[in-house]
Amino acid sequence: MNKEFFTEPLTSLCATLCDFAGVTPPEYAAPASAELKQKLVNQSGLEKVDRILMYNPDAVADYIYDKYYDKFAPLEKTAPVRQRFITVYPPKTPVCFASMYTGATPDKHGITKYEKPVVKIESIFDAFIKAGKKPCIVSVKNQSMDKIFRGRDMAYFSETYDDEVVARALELMEKDEYDLLCVYNQRYDDAMHRSHPNSKRSQHALDCYAAAFKQLSEKVDTCWQKHDTLIGFAPDHGVHRMIIGLGNHGSNIPKDMNISHLYGIIPKKI
C-alpha cells in the first residue's frame, strides 16, 4: 500500500480533457497533465478526440483499486492508461468534483466542505458550450454531480440510483448527441459508509462499478463508431476505515487523497 502522497494534482485533469477536445480550458484551470497527455498519445497515436465519456465512480481509492485489482483489470483492455492523482483537500465529494471539472482549487471554486452550491466559476461544461459543443451530466438525483454544475445551457438527467443512471447514459449514447458525457455512480460510497471499505456489500459495489464501465465502454464501440473517443474511469477521492469500523473519507492521508484513474482513446471505426 502506498504510504506517500501522489504528486500529480487532480486539478490538472480538466485542462487535459479540454486539450484533447480542442477546447480552451476554463479560466482557473491548472495546467494540463503532460504525463497523462503523453501516455494517451502513446496509447492511441491521437492528439485530439471528438467525444469524451467520463465515468465517475464515487470513493475508489488507489489502494482499493490495487487490493481488488482482479475486479478492475478487465477495464484496462479499453482504458489501459492508469494515472495516479492526488485529489484536493478536503477529500469530500462536492469539493473534489468541483476541482475535477473546473481545474481549480477549492479556494477558487468556493466549495471547501461537504455542501452543494452551484459552482460560479468557469467549468469544463462552460468551456465546451463556448466552443459550440454539447455537454451532459447523468447523475443520481440530488447528489453532488447533479447539483453543483447547474445553471448551464446543457443537458442534465437526474435518476433514482446507479442502475438507472447507467441505463440512461447508454440510451443517450445510442442517440449520439453529446460531445462530453459525465456519468456519476455512488454505490461503493454508500456501501462503505454503512459497513466498511472491504465488506461484502462494498466489494459488490465495486463489481457494479466495473460492470457499469464495461457496459459504457462497449457502447462506444457500437454507437460512437464515427468518433475518436476518450473514455475515463475517474473517481473523486479515496476512503479509510475508522477505528469504530465504518468507512469514511475527509482526512489528509494517502488513503483518502490518493486515487487512480483509467483512461483510453478508442479510435473511430468509420
Side-chain angles (χ1 to χ4, degrees):
M1 185 184 302
N2 197 307
K3 297 181 180 180
E4 303 295 329
F5 289 106
F6 295 156
T7 57
E8 183 71 42
L10 181 62
T11 50
S12 69
L13 177 61
C14 181
T16 308
L17 298 177
C18 287
D19 284 359
F20 272 101
V23 168
T24 301
E27 180 180 5
Y28 295 107
S33 169
E35 180 181 352
L36 178 55
K37 287 177 69 174
Q38 190 59 56
K39 287 178 180 177
L40 283 167
V41 171
N42 291 346
Q43 176 250 322
S44 66
L46 298 173
E47 296 183 359
K48 299 292 180 184
V49 299
D50 52 299
R51 286 285 187 273
I52 296 179
L53 170 66
M54 293 292 287
Y55 178 63
N56 292 131
D58 205 316
V60 183
D62 173 76
Y63 81 94
I64 290 293
Y65 183 89
D66 282 339
K67 185 178 181 70
Y68 299 106
Y69 180 72
D70 60 316
K71 299 180 183 296
F72 298 110
L75 309 187
E76 295 183 4
K77 293 178 181 178
T78 52
V81 174
R82 182 174 178 179
Q83 180 64 49
R84 293 174 171 86
F85 287 110
I86 180 169
T87 194
V88 292
Y89 182 82
K92 295 288 189 178
T93 300
V95 184
C96 298
F97 279 125
S99 286
M100 186 185 298
Y101 288 123
T102 64
T105 50
D107 62 301
K108 288 188 172 66
H109 63 61
I111 303 182
T112 58
K113 57 185 177 180
Y114 189 80
E115 58 183 5
K116 305 170 189 175
V118 172
V119 171
K120 299 299 184 183
I121 68 169
E122 285 188 351
S123 68
I124 193 172
F125 308 107
D126 300 290
F128 268 63
I129 293 166
K130 282 185 178 181
K133 296 178 181 290
K134 296 177 66 175
C136 176
I137 296 173
V138 190
S139 176
V140 178
K141 187 175 182 179
N142 291 326
Q143 298 308 307
S144 298
M145 280 294 289
D146 186 47
K147 298 187 76 171
I148 66 174
F149 296 110
R150 288 280 173 171
R152 277 80 178 173
D153 183 18
M154 59 179 284
Y156 305 89
F157 293 87
S158 307
E159 305 298 338
T160 306
Y161 203 56
D162 286 10
D163 292 345
E164 291 80 6
V165 167
V166 174
R168 175 70 71 182
L170 294 170
E171 175 187 305
L172 294 173
M173 291 178 73
E174 289 179 358
K175 295 180 179 179
D176 191 17
E177 295 179 354
Y178 299 106
D179 304 293
L180 170 62
L181 182 62
C182 295
V183 183
Y184 168 81
N185 276 180
Q186 68 180 63
R187 195 184 308 267
Y188 179 72
D189 188 73
D190 289 343
M192 65 84 186
H193 277 304
R194 294 168 184 165
S195 53
H196 61 80
N198 302 300
S199 69
K200 289 185 178 179
R201 177 189 290 183
S202 295
Q203 291 183 50
H204 172 68
L206 294 176
D207 288 331
C208 292
Y209 280 175
F213 185 73
K214 184 174 183 289
Q215 282 183 285
L216 292 165
S217 60
E218 287 176 349
K219 203 70 167 178
V220 172
D221 277 333
T222 58
C223 294
W224 286 5
Q225 295 180 340
K226 297 180 181 178
H227 307 289
D228 293 319
T229 301
L230 191 160
I231 60 173
F233 180 96
D236 50 347
H237 57 70
V239 60
H240 69 275
R241 188 173 186 177
M242 298 186 295
I243 294 174
I244 60 172
L246 295 177
N248 202 5
H249 54 90
S251 299
N252 192 23
I253 58 175
K255 283 187 175 182
D256 285 7
M257 299 291 289
N258 287 349
I259 52 177
S260 275
H261 285 192
L262 297 180
Y263 291 98
I265 292 178
I266 301 174
K268 62 186 176 185
K269 295 178 174 59
I270 299 176

